[in-house]
Amino acid sequence: MFSFHYLNNVLHGEGINLESLLKEVGTPAYVYSARSIRDHFRELNHAFAPLENYRICYAVKANSNLTILRLLQEEGAWFDIVSAGELFKVLRAGGKAAQCTFAGVGKMSHEIEYALDEGIYSFNIESEEELELINDIAKRRGLKAPIALRVNPDVDTPTHHYISTGKNKNKFGIAFHRIEEIYAKVAALPHLAIRGIQTHIGSQILTATPFLEAIEKLAPLVMKIHQRYGLEFFSIGGGLGILYEGVLEKNAQSLEEQENSFLKAYAHALLRPLKALRLPIFFEPGRFLVGNAGVLLTQVLYRKETSEKNFLIVDAGMNDLIRPALYQGHHDIKPLKAKSREQEESLFEKVDVVGPVCESGDFFARDRLLPPLHAGDKLAILSVGAYGMVMGSNYNARPLPPEILLDGNTAKVIRRRQRWEDLIQGERTL
Ligand SMILES: *Cc1c(COP(=O)(O)O)cnc(C)c1O
């Protein structure tokens, strides 16, 4: 599952020596493991195989590189998208609109038109006004738009408040107590077709309890709606968490055991109540499939000591990876070249690892114990496969790093490093 490991004291990804790889591609650079993505997909698939009728709809927003979309499609994934741009990318990668569900609270008319014309599988609806707009657009085209309502189950999710979505105070979904009434309204709108029901309670959740709570709360409602209108699916959303801490200390096997034990607990808790529904079940994992399949490689530019802190200034910045700044995301950081364990631990020092961007929020770690590092040393920031590159920006006019996919003994660039010319794309001087 986890494909990054030290071999002869140098960090490798699959069969590739990352130090050597950097000589060709430079830093910063995102590196993904194809094997890790496939493994995660297969393990999830395997865990829910007893359901017989289910689909894994990869949440494209986690990492939308065309090659990764293609890889997951080849594994049998459908897609969960949140914008027309994501649909465009899925189609470009060889995917089909008929295998996409379209989520999001703010779908725009032109996005709805595009998705409808391409033959989207389902619009997952988040408000009554959206329903009416989709009905109008479908009417103009003489079509019936397939829809599902996204239910907000109002359950607590133990995660960062920025990535919790299943409470009434969040902007997502339609209140539980209004769902029946709104399905009745949908049934009366001539240009809508009821296709399913959906929920998504949040992200980076590491216990089965909140998922179980949501499903138990929704089950009677789902059954009722199904009996009334005949549903083609119940989507329980994404949100399965991954390990972010201690990823490399543990050997690959024990990491695999830990992730597997969570996956097992999740499947064990959910299989029975899901099976009882006798409906096709959809899953929408993003982070779980790609999160631990990616690292961001960077190098130390400078060391700087102030009266209070030791700083390591690296060449990756918050524009390349914003998770620490945005939601205090933790990422383990490892030198590409390790010394022996004993040697290291006695010398560890506390440092802040920061980027070159002009913001105090531009950091990757604070007060982190790391072996002594100096200008030129290369580092890997771990667990960045999800919500990493996709959140990248050109802030400070910094070109985005390349993305490289490892597969066995090959390493291929799946997105080249941006050039200065890319920074002025579409701009004009008047
Ligand atoms: C973000 C999102 C997901 C994926 O969440 P992960 O935590 O990455 O699994 C799934 N479904 C919807 C509707 C989402 O918005």
Side-chain angles (χ1 to χ4, degrees), residues 59 61 80 103 150 198 200 203-204 238-239 284-287 387:
K61 73 175 191 277
D80 184 61
R150 173 170 177 174
Q198 193 261 1
H200 171 69
S203 199
Q204 184 52 14
E284 303 166 3
R287 189 189 311 270
Y387 308 107

Short mmCIF file of all heavy atoms in Angstrom, two decimals, residues 59 61 80 103 150 198 200 203-204 238-239 284-287 387, ligand 1:
data_model
loop_
_atom_site.label_atom_id
_atom_site.label_comp_id
_atom_site.label_asym_id
_atom_site.label_seq_id
_atom_site.Cartn_x
_atom_site.Cartn_y
_atom_site.Cartn_z
N ALA A 59 -13.47 10.67 -6.03
CA ALA A 59 -13.70 12.11 -5.89
C ALA A 59 -12.55 12.85 -6.58
O ALA A 59 -11.46 13.01 -6.03
CB ALA A 59 -13.80 12.50 -4.41
N LYS A 61 -11.76 15.79 -7.15
CA LYS A 61 -11.13 16.99 -6.60
C LYS A 61 -9.87 16.68 -5.80
O LYS A 61 -9.02 17.54 -5.63
CB LYS A 61 -12.13 17.81 -5.77
CG LYS A 61 -12.51 17.21 -4.43
CD LYS A 61 -13.41 18.22 -3.69
CE LYS A 61 -13.64 17.86 -2.24
NZ LYS A 61 -14.74 16.88 -2.07
N ASP A 80 -16.77 11.11 -9.07
CA ASP A 80 -17.62 12.12 -8.43
C ASP A 80 -16.95 13.46 -8.71
O ASP A 80 -15.80 13.68 -8.34
CB ASP A 80 -17.72 11.86 -6.92
CG ASP A 80 -18.67 12.85 -6.25
OD1 ASP A 80 -19.86 12.85 -6.61
OD2 ASP A 80 -18.22 13.63 -5.39
N ALA A 103 -21.57 16.66 -7.85
CA ALA A 103 -21.89 17.22 -6.53
C ALA A 103 -21.58 18.72 -6.52
O ALA A 103 -21.06 19.26 -7.49
CB ALA A 103 -21.06 16.51 -5.47
N ARG A 150 -28.91 15.35 -1.93
CA ARG A 150 -27.88 15.16 -0.91
C ARG A 150 -28.48 15.50 0.45
O ARG A 150 -28.89 16.63 0.69
CB ARG A 150 -26.68 16.08 -1.18
CG ARG A 150 -25.67 16.02 -0.05
CD ARG A 150 -24.39 16.72 -0.41
NE ARG A 150 -23.44 16.73 0.69
CZ ARG A 150 -22.19 17.18 0.58
NH1 ARG A 150 -21.77 17.63 -0.58
NH2 ARG A 150 -21.39 17.17 1.60
N GLN A 198 -28.09 10.69 -1.68
CA GLN A 198 -26.66 10.78 -1.39
C GLN A 198 -26.43 11.49 -0.06
O GLN A 198 -27.27 12.28 0.39
CB GLN A 198 -25.99 11.57 -2.53
CG GLN A 198 -24.47 11.51 -2.56
CD GLN A 198 -23.81 12.73 -1.94
OE1 GLN A 198 -24.48 13.62 -1.46
NE2 GLN A 198 -22.49 12.74 -1.93
N HIS A 200 -22.76 12.90 2.44
CA HIS A 200 -21.29 12.95 2.60
C HIS A 200 -21.04 13.76 3.86
O HIS A 200 -21.43 14.91 3.94
CB HIS A 200 -20.64 13.63 1.38
CG HIS A 200 -19.17 13.91 1.55
ND1 HIS A 200 -18.22 12.92 1.59
CD2 HIS A 200 -18.50 15.08 1.70
CE1 HIS A 200 -17.02 13.47 1.75
NE2 HIS A 200 -17.16 14.77 1.82
N SER A 203 -14.49 14.81 5.79
CA SER A 203 -13.27 14.23 5.26
C SER A 203 -12.30 13.88 6.39
O SER A 203 -12.39 14.43 7.48
CB SER A 203 -12.64 15.25 4.32
OG SER A 203 -11.72 14.64 3.45
N GLN A 204 -11.35 12.99 6.08
CA GLN A 204 -10.31 12.58 7.04
C GLN A 204 -10.94 12.07 8.34
O GLN A 204 -10.62 12.52 9.43
CB GLN A 204 -9.32 13.73 7.26
CG GLN A 204 -8.12 13.42 8.18
CD GLN A 204 -7.34 12.18 7.78
OE1 GLN A 204 -7.50 11.64 6.70
NE2 GLN A 204 -6.51 11.67 8.66
N GLY A 238 -17.70 10.14 0.58
CA GLY A 238 -16.31 9.75 0.83
C GLY A 238 -15.98 10.02 2.28
O GLY A 238 -16.83 9.87 3.14
N GLY A 239 -14.74 10.40 2.54
CA GLY A 239 -14.37 10.80 3.89
C GLY A 239 -13.45 9.87 4.64
O GLY A 239 -12.97 10.21 5.72
N GLU A 284 -17.62 7.40 -2.47
CA GLU A 284 -16.96 8.52 -3.16
C GLU A 284 -15.62 8.86 -2.50
O GLU A 284 -15.40 9.99 -2.05
CB GLU A 284 -17.86 9.77 -3.12
CG GLU A 284 -19.24 9.57 -3.72
CD GLU A 284 -20.21 10.71 -3.37
OE1 GLU A 284 -19.78 11.69 -2.72
OE2 GLU A 284 -21.38 10.61 -3.75
N PRO A 285 -14.71 7.91 -2.43
CA PRO A 285 -13.43 8.21 -1.76
C PRO A 285 -12.53 9.07 -2.63
O PRO A 285 -12.48 8.91 -3.84
CB PRO A 285 -12.81 6.82 -1.59
CG PRO A 285 -13.34 6.05 -2.77
CD PRO A 285 -14.73 6.57 -3.02
N GLY A 286 -11.83 10.00 -1.99
CA GLY A 286 -10.82 10.78 -2.68
C GLY A 286 -9.49 10.52 -2.00
O GLY A 286 -8.65 9.76 -2.45
N ARG A 287 -9.35 11.13 -0.82
CA ARG A 287 -8.11 11.06 -0.05
C ARG A 287 -7.61 9.62 0.16
O ARG A 287 -6.43 9.34 0.01
CB ARG A 287 -8.36 11.69 1.33
CG ARG A 287 -7.11 11.89 2.17
CD ARG A 287 -7.51 12.30 3.60
NE ARG A 287 -8.47 13.39 3.63
CZ ARG A 287 -8.15 14.69 3.67
NH1 ARG A 287 -6.88 15.03 3.73
NH2 ARG A 287 -9.08 15.61 3.68
N TYR A 387 -5.39 16.52 -2.31
CA TYR A 387 -5.50 17.93 -1.92
C TYR A 387 -4.12 18.61 -1.84
O TYR A 387 -3.89 19.47 -1.00
CB TYR A 387 -6.30 18.06 -0.60
CG TYR A 387 -7.63 17.33 -0.68
CD1 TYR A 387 -7.84 16.13 -0.01
CD2 TYR A 387 -8.64 17.82 -1.51
CE1 TYR A 387 -9.04 15.44 -0.15
CE2 TYR A 387 -9.83 17.12 -1.65
CZ TYR A 387 -10.03 15.94 -0.96
OH TYR A 387 -11.21 15.26 -1.11
C1 LIG B 1 -14.74 15.99 -1.13
C2 LIG B 1 -15.84 15.04 -1.38
C3 LIG B 1 -15.60 13.67 -1.39
C4 LIG B 1 -14.25 13.06 -1.10
O1 LIG B 1 -13.82 13.27 0.20
P1 LIG B 1 -12.53 12.48 0.74
O2 LIG B 1 -12.43 12.90 2.14
O3 LIG B 1 -11.38 12.91 -0.08
O4 LIG B 1 -12.81 11.02 0.59
C5 LIG B 1 -16.66 12.83 -1.67
N1 LIG B 1 -17.89 13.32 -1.94
C6 LIG B 1 -18.16 14.64 -1.93
C7 LIG B 1 -19.52 15.10 -2.22
C8 LIG B 1 -17.14 15.54 -1.65
O5 LIG B 1 -17.41 16.85 -1.64
#
